Amino acid sequence: MTEILDIAKRDGRWTECPSCSETIITARLQEHLWVCPHCDHHFRISAKDRIAILCDEGAFVEMDAAVHRIDEQGPPSDEAIRCGRASIKGRQCVLGVMDFTFKGGSMGVAVGQAVLDLMQGAQRKGLPLVVFCSSGGVRVQEGIWGLLQMLRTVHARTQTEDVPMITVFTDPTTGGVSASFAGLADIMIAEPGAKIGFAGPRVIEATMKCTLPPDFQDASRLMANGFLDMIVHRHRMRDTLASLLQWFCPA
Ligand SMILES: [Zn+2]
C-alpha cells in the first residue's frame, strides 16, 4: 500500500500536506483551491493558478512586453511576476502576481521594471492596483542591480501615491520585497500561515543571541503587532478583494 501511495505521490495524483502529513487526492486539493481540507494549510501556488482562482473567467489581460528578460532560459514571458489588467467579480483593477516557482519569486531588474509598469499603468488607467507577493527577496545573482530594485520600486511608489494599492502577502514574502514596495500599500492583507519577514530566524537568532518564538514571522503574529490590516482565507480572497475594490472603482 505504501508503495502505491509513493508512486501516486511521485506522479502527482496524490499530494502530501507538509503541515499535517495527510495524503490528499491532488484533484480534490485543486478543487479546494490548494488549501488542505484537513488542517487548512495554504499550499504555495503558481501565478497561473492564482490568476485562475482570483479573476473572472477570461478577464485577465496580460500587460504587453513589460518584462524584459535578462537571461536565456525559458520562453520570453517567463519571469517571477505576471502583470495585467483584471476583473474580480466585475471590479476592474491592475493585477500583479509574483511566482515563487520561478527563481524563488526573486526581484531582479525585470521584476523591478514590472512593478514600475504596474504602478504607472494603474495611474494612467485610473485603476486600483493589487499585488500578490511571494518572494524570497532580491535576486542576489544580479548583485547591486538586484538590490537597486528596492530603491527603484519605493521611488516609483512615491510617484504614484494617488494609486490605491492593495498587497497580499502569501507564503513566503521575505527579504527585499517585504522591505520595499510590498510594505507601502494602502491595505495589506496576508494569507493564513504566510511567513513574512526580512532576514530568516536563524540569522536573527545568531545575531541577537536569543531564542525566537515558534510563530515568529507568521502572519498571525504580524497581525497581532499591527503590521497587517487583515488575514484572509484563500476561499474568501475573491469576495474580500471585490468588496475592497468597490471603494476605489464603483461599478
Ligand atoms: Zn494539512
Side-chain angles (χ1 to χ4, degrees):
M1 184 63 190
T2 324
E3 219 167 90
I4 297 168
L5 267 182
D6 282 346
I7 295 167
K9 275 183 208 165
R10 266 201 304 276
D11 72 13
R13 279 176 293 159
W14 292 74
T15 305
E16 188 178 308
C17 172
S19 174
C20 68
S21 304
E22 283 284 346
T23 305
I24 313 149
I25 298 170
T26 308
R28 185 161 171 237
L29 189 60
Q30 195 171 5
E31 277 167 21
H32 221 244
L33 309 186
W34 301 97
V35 176
C36 174
H38 304 282
C39 73
D40 235 15
H41 170 75
H42 284 49
F43 282 73
R44 292 176 185 176
I45 54 174
S46 67
K48 185 168 164 273
D49 286 336
R50 177 80 63 186
I51 290 164
I53 287 172
L54 194 70
C55 300
D56 300 338
E57 212 177 329
F60 179 77
V61 182
E62 201 112 26
M63 258 157 62
D64 25 285
V67 175
H68 309 290
R69 282 160 30 76
I70 57 153
D71 64 23
E72 294 308 316
Q73 295 166 20
S77 62
D78 266 9
E79 246 309 336
I81 190 166
R82 285 186 66 187
C83 311
R85 186 176 171 151
S87 151
I88 301 168
K89 293 189 107 182
R91 306 284 170 188
Q92 299 294 315
C93 66
V94 171
L95 176 68
V97 183
M98 299 191 81
D99 197 332
F100 195 78
T101 59
F102 187 90
K103 298 190 179 184
S106 54
M107 177 166 69
V109 174
V111 172
Q113 180 66 48
V115 173
L116 252 70
D117 290 345
L118 281 171
M119 290 175 180
Q120 290 165 356
Q123 192 176 46
R124 243 185 347 264
K125 293 182 175 90
L127 289 172
L129 170 63
V130 179
V131 186
F132 276 76
C133 302
S134 177
S135 175
V138 160
R139 190 169 300 168
V140 287
Q141 296 91 329
E142 293 183 20
I144 189 69
W145 296 106
L147 283 170
L148 274 172
Q149 303 316 308
M150 293 174 69
L151 178 70
R152 195 179 178 209
T153 52
V154 168
H155 179 254
R157 180 62 181 145
T158 64
Q159 304 293 302
T160 54
E161 278 171 340
D162 55 325
V163 174
M165 181 173 166
I166 302 172
T167 44
V168 184
F169 292 80
T170 68
D171 186 61
T173 303
T174 57
V177 168
S178 68
S180 64
F181 72 91
L184 295 175
D186 300 294
I187 302 172
M188 293 196 274
I189 303 174
E191 279 195 332
K195 180 183 159 70
I196 306 160
F198 185 63
R202 260 183 311 164
V203 176
I204 297 172
E205 279 185 331
T207 314
M208 307 287 288
K209 312 248 181 295
C210 64
T211 310
L212 296 166
D215 64 347
F216 183 70
Q217 295 182 331
D218 186 276
S220 59
R221 194 168 182 91
L222 271 88
M223 180 75 197
N225 285 288
F227 288 96
L228 290 171
D229 294 302
M230 55 180 112
I231 295 176
V232 178
H233 194 285
R234 192 173 290 162
H235 292 173
R236 287 192 302 276
M237 189 63 80
R238 199 170 126 80
D239 287 344
T240 306
L241 284 175
S243 61
L244 289 174
L245 287 173
Q246 74 178 355
W247 293 352
F248 310 117
C249 55

